[in-house]
Amino acid sequence: VNELAVVDLPDRRVAVTVAATERWGVTGLEAFAAARENLAGRLPEVTPGQKVMLRDADGGTYVDALIVVDGWLSSLAVPGQGQPLVFMPGDGVLLVGTDDPGDAPGLFEAAERMYLDADRFMSPQGYTIADGTIVPLDQAGPHPMRHLALRARALQATREYGSQTD
């Protein structure tokens, strides 16, 4: 997962750069910590194990960035019922569920469709927690849904390389 911090201005968003942090007298780590703290103050209520789609209706809630808030993704685990599984297909959408074989195929299907239809696409991959780290499901070790995770990975690579080629 690549993380980017931004500053919201009245008419646009501006990416935080090394030059900006130097002007402000803070480190990059301090800037990212402040950004995550701002996100933590906006966490929606999601019940562990719940399947839900969160939307960034006003362009300023950054729902697709919630996975970088310390502990948020791992807090969605349900002991004995699966690990959290989230998707950031694009256009300010976050799909949340679990890696349970009864739920995951539908989530992968919805994420792929949204990713392909998105004006601002991000990723069709499902992300989870493995050893305390956010990883794509295909990198989380053996899993009955790994074939779906590999398909999502291939789709993303194909689309990204296609964009680079164009």
Side-chain angles (χ1 to χ4, degrees):
V1 174
N2 292 319
E3 186 177 1
L4 175 71
V6 298
V7 174
D8 288 323
L9 299 176
D11 60 338
R12 68 188 185 283
R13 288 183 184 148
V14 178
V16 174
T17 63
V18 172
T21 59
E22 288 172 353
R23 278 194 316 275
W24 301 336
V26 299
T27 67
L29 292 175
E30 290 169 323
F32 278 106
R36 287 188 206 112
E37 187 176 324
N38 288 339
L39 285 171
R42 304 174 177 189
L43 290 177
E45 272 197 45
V46 177
T47 303
Q50 177 184 17
K51 274 196 305 191
V52 65
M53 179 173 65
L54 303 172
R55 287 193 172 276
D56 186 5
D58 65 4
T61 55
Y62 299 104
V63 296
D64 44 9
L66 293 177
I67 68 167
V68 299
V69 174
D70 290 336
W72 183 75
L73 186 55
S74 60
S75 76
L76 301 178
V78 180
Q81 295 181 18
Q83 285 288 97
L85 187 62
V86 298
F87 297 82
M88 303 166 289
D91 290 341
V93 171
L94 189 70
L95 297 176
V96 180
T98 70
D99 66 353
D100 180 272
D103 288 338
L107 290 169
F108 272 100
E109 183 180 325
E112 180 175 314
R113 190 172 49 253
M114 294 172 119
Y115 173 77
L116 290 172
D117 292 341
D119 291 328
R120 292 178 299 120
F121 55 88
M122 288 183 69
S123 174
Q125 295 193 60
Y127 295 87
T128 191
I129 298 289
D131 298 323
T133 302
I134 301 166
V135 296
L137 186 63
D138 67 293
Q139 296 178 24
H143 194 282
M145 297 297 114
R146 189 164 190 269
H147 66 287
L148 296 174
L150 290 171
R151 174 187 167 94
R153 178 177 160 188
L155 173 62
Q156 184 174 21
T158 300
R159 190 166 197 188
E160 291 297 328
Y161 290 134
S163 294
Q164 291 174 20
T165 299
D166 292 344

